[in-house]
Amino acid sequence: MLRGTFQRAGAWLRGLRRGPRGPAESARRGVVSCIDPSMGLNEEQKEFQKVAFNFAAREMAPHMAEWDQKELFPVDMMRKAAQLGFGGVYIQTDVGGAGLSRLDASVIFEALATGCTSTTAYMSIHNMCVWMIDRFGSEEQRQRLCPPLCAMEMFASYCLTEPGSGSDAASLVTSAVRQQDHYILNGSKAFISGGGEADIYVVMCRTGGPGPRGISCVVVEKGTPGLSFGKKEKKVGWNSQPTRAVIFEDCAVPVANRIGDEGQGFLIAMKGLNGGRINVASCSLGAAHASLVLARDYLKVREQFGQPLANNQYLQFQLAEMAARLVASRLMIRTAAMALQEEREDAVVLCSMAKLFATDECFAICNQALQMHGGYGYLKDYAIQQYVRDSRVHQILEGSNEVMRMLISRSLLQE
């Protein structure tokens, strides 16, 4: 009897190594769940959500462990995703974008992140960079750069953080000295996602005096003399996307590559990050949703003390709390996404709240799901540990959660 139990559990556990059944599959089986991410969406949104979930299940989830362990940057897969519009989700249609809303983008990134959180996070950063060019660039820049970026024929990286300026971004020191029709860049950027692989670097640099008003935004193209890269960083997670320092040594960039006016760079960077915070929080949602499904399915088949773990009331209550935190995170993110789309006055603080709450809570969900797996959860053969590792950094980047607390409290105290 025990042998039969172990055989049945072993077969199911081997299935869990491949990751959870996606919500799209559950929908086909007629299951309506209290954590269903399609709740509250209109029919059009449900359709492209289904497309994203199916793409994640077929093109991403089967490979996410390999991409992680071998540190592979899945260019071919991302170009397939771009054919569905995922390379320029909220970019205007006249330059090849899908023309969707911030809420639509959140729905898509959440779905894709169930297949591979790390790769989806890079795709969300790429989208942010393209949006910055689309929104603030000249017509010539939009028409030249956005179409290949939306098709992911070219990839983009966001370059703000420096070795000496992380949270204090306005103190950046990378300089851009104008010489006739070029800027000469000197300095370095740290922790750049896509560094060394991307074709376009959206760089914040100092063209004027100290503080935010002295910062401008320029596009530096790969292959420009004076542009080089540091070693590929070894990271806890996010291994399907390379992270390197980006180095400028007398790097001459045409003035025509400046996005917006001189001194507008910090504003552009912060506008980009408002959306970036929604995007990365949405990636956390996807990781948490996948982790919760894995935990739920594991509790149903894992037997201890003569019965399934799902019969244990303590674990039932934990699962309920995880579900409540997941749905609360999703609602907060979608509220912030709509505020950002509508350019409401409270958009910045709502984006900060959503990023703070969702990335903290969703990491806790992933971590608790691993705990429910016991020793199996700590094995790299099982997907749950990768969701934990890939979602941890979301509490740090796009503005650390400590900075989010500062922004929220500042808003409160100004009233």
Side-chain angles (χ1 to χ4, degrees):
M1 181 177 176
L2 284 175
R3 180 177 296 173
T5 300
F6 280 123
Q7 286 174 341
R8 290 192 299 273
W12 186 265
L13 290 170
R14 286 191 293 274
L16 291 181
R17 296 182 187 194
R18 297 189 293 271
R21 294 190 302 270
E25 182 175 336
S26 295
R28 287 196 297 273
R29 292 165 53 238
V31 176
V32 176
S33 169
C34 64
I35 60 170
D36 183 355
S38 70
M39 288 191 296
L41 302 181
N42 62 38
E43 291 306 312
E44 183 182 24
Q45 289 167 333
K46 289 178 181 178
E47 282 301 313
F48 58 67
Q49 181 188 58
K50 182 178 179 181
V51 169
F53 271 125
N54 287 340
F55 184 88
R58 294 171 184 171
E59 302 289 343
M60 300 175 77
H63 309 291
M64 80 172 198
E66 180 185 15
W67 296 338
D68 173 68
Q69 292 169 22
K70 296 182 179 179
E71 298 186 1
L72 301 177
F73 190 50
V75 169
D76 291 341
M77 181 282 296
M78 288 190 285
R79 287 179 175 155
K80 286 184 181 178
Q83 293 175 8
L84 298 174
F86 300 156
V89 178
Y90 48 97
I91 313 306
Q92 296 179 73
T93 56
D94 68 314
V95 288
L100 298 179
S101 71
R102 296 291 187 158
L103 173 58
D104 301 336
S106 174
V107 169
I108 288 169
F109 291 138
E110 177 186 358
L112 293 177
T114 63
C116 181
T117 304
S118 167
T119 308
T120 304
Y122 171 75
M123 292 171 65
S124 80
I125 294 169
H126 171 90
N127 269 263
M128 178 179 71
C129 291
V130 186
W131 176 82
M132 292 163 68
I133 297 170
D134 182 34
R135 176 68 181 268
F136 296 100
S138 67
E139 190 60 25
E140 185 277 330
Q141 291 167 337
R142 293 180 66 249
Q143 296 297 333
R144 174 167 58 91
L145 296 172
C146 290
L149 288 169
C150 288
M152 285 190 149
E153 296 167 4
M154 297 168 62
F155 294 94
S157 287
Y158 178 80
C159 300
L160 175 63
T161 300
E162 296 184 359
S165 63
S167 295
D168 185 14
S171 68
L172 65 85
V173 296
T174 294
S175 62
V177 178
R178 184 163 182 170
Q179 292 185 2
Q180 297 178 345
D181 59 352
H182 282 75
Y183 290 111
I184 309 301
L185 271 64
N186 282 284
S188 64
K189 298 293 180 177
F191 310 127
I192 303 306
S193 296
E197 299 293 334
D199 306 282
I200 294 293
Y201 296 87
V202 181
V203 181
M204 309 308 145
C205 51
R206 191 162 298 284
T207 54
R213 294 183 181 180
I215 296 171
S216 297
C217 176
V218 300
V219 167
V220 182
E221 299 175 47
K222 189 176 183 180
T224 302
L227 172 65
S228 61
F229 308 96
K231 66 178 178 62
K232 186 177 178 181
E233 304 288 359
K234 303 295 288 185
K235 308 190 296 293
V236 171
W238 270 31
N239 290 317
S240 68
Q241 49 169 295
T243 302
R244 293 183 175 92
V246 176
I247 303 162
F248 309 98
E249 297 175 296
D250 293 329
C251 181
V253 179
V255 172
N257 278 22
R258 187 186 68 226
I259 304 298
D261 297 329
E262 275 200 6
Q264 197 179 7
F266 192 77
L267 171 67
I268 294 171
M270 294 302 105
K271 291 279 190 181
L273 280 180
N274 288 332
R277 288 163 185 160
I278 295 296
N279 293 347
V280 77
S282 301
C283 292
S284 288
L285 273 182
H289 187 105
S291 297
L292 180 53
V293 171
L294 281 172
R296 178 199 65 190
D297 292 351
Y298 181 83
L299 295 183
K300 289 180 178 180
V301 298
R302 175 65 166 165
E303 292 190 2
Q304 290 288 279
F305 306 106
Q307 59 181 331
L309 289 177
N311 291 353
N312 183 294
Q313 190 180 58
Y314 175 74
L315 295 176
Q316 292 173 0
F317 283 5
Q318 282 196 321
L319 204 64
E321 290 173 0
M322 292 159 70
R325 294 201 299 268
L326 175 69
V327 173
S329 296
R330 182 178 292 132
L331 292 172
M332 184 171 281
I333 290 170
R334 291 181 180 180
T335 297
M338 288 187 289
L340 187 62
Q341 183 69 32
E342 296 165 3
E343 299 184 347
R344 284 166 31 192
E345 289 185 7
D346 59 352
V348 173
V349 71
L350 287 176
C351 289
S352 300
M353 287 179 175
K355 197 269 184 183
L356 166 64
F357 185 85
T359 58
D360 278 354
E361 293 299 328
C362 289
F363 175 76
I365 292 167
C366 295
N367 197 42
Q368 185 59 50
L370 187 154
Q371 184 73 16
M372 287 176 166
H373 280 71
Y376 288 110
Y378 206 64
L379 300 180
K380 284 199 173 181
D381 286 340
Y382 294 85
I384 188 67
Q385 50 75 35
Q386 189 170 338
Y387 290 119
V388 173
R389 289 186 293 108
D390 284 343
S391 62
R392 177 60 183 87
V393 74
H394 298 179
Q395 295 167 287
I396 300 171
L397 50 77
E398 309 292 49
S400 71
N401 283 5
E402 288 73 22
V403 171
M404 298 304 99
R405 290 176 173 90
M406 289 171 56
L407 294 173
I408 296 164
S409 61
R410 184 183 302 163
S411 174
L412 284 169
L413 293 170
Q414 285 176 346
E415 292 181 359

